Amino acid sequence: MLATRNRLRTSTDFSTTVRSGVRNGRRNVVLYTATIGADEPSRIGFIVSKGVGNAVARNLVKRRLREAGAVSLREYGTGFAIVVRALPASATASWQELLADYNAALEVTMKRLGGRHPKSAALRSNGTTQEGTQRA
């Protein structure tokens, strides 16, 4: 579960991020990233519509995306608002595919924003760090 301070909660926050943010789409997700105050904690919000599937499928996708978001908060702890929209293909995607799409989209949006590059501890889609060590 994400801490309350790290969640986008209002429709205004979502709208602002989607409208003013940088967008990047992948097979399973579309990610919007916008900068907020440099001292503010980064916040993440998720959009998982009924088009993704039934309640069981949507909740599975949300749990997986929340975990990917928690990992990215370690890298980008302050200054960013991120909205993740799950696409229907995400319902049948594996954890590895979903994580790979999330990380790739996040990296592209951060580069477009001129943001910081991921640290070496960032998880790759195979569950290892960039040094090649397995994460516990």
Side-chain angles (χ1 to χ4, degrees):
M1 189 86 151
L2 293 172
T4 303
R5 71 178 189 278
N6 293 119
R7 291 186 227 157
L8 285 177
R9 304 199 78 180
T10 66
S11 62
T12 304
D13 290 341
F14 276 86
S15 296
T16 302
T17 303
V18 169
R19 289 184 180 148
S20 66
V22 175
R23 176 180 166 266
N24 188 266
R26 298 288 181 200
R27 182 175 189 271
N28 297 305
V29 296
V30 177
L31 203 109
Y32 303 88
T33 306
T35 56
I36 55 177
D39 294 336
E40 289 187 48
S42 290
R43 295 185 310 240
I44 301 177
F46 304 95
I47 302 170
V48 184
S49 73
K50 286 185 179 181
V52 170
N54 63 18
V56 174
R58 290 193 311 268
N59 286 328
L60 176 64
V61 169
K62 278 188 274 190
R63 283 193 307 272
R64 288 177 171 177
L65 289 174
R66 250 187 247 123
E67 178 59 27
V71 171
S72 67
L73 280 175
R74 294 181 200 136
E75 301 302 318
Y76 304 104
T78 58
F80 296 100
I82 302 167
V83 171
V84 183
R85 184 166 47 94
L87 298 176
S90 63
T92 57
S94 70
W95 162 244
Q96 297 298 329
E97 293 169 334
L98 204 56
L99 182 62
D101 281 354
Y102 176 89
N103 286 336
L106 182 62
E107 186 176 331
V108 168
T109 59
M110 288 299 179
K111 282 182 183 177
R112 287 184 185 163
L113 284 174
R116 299 160 285 187
H117 293 288
K119 296 178 193 172
S120 60
L123 278 182
R124 290 186 175 185
S125 60
N126 64 3
T128 61
T129 62
Q130 290 180 354
E131 290 89 22
T133 56
Q134 189 70 29
R135 180 175 186 251

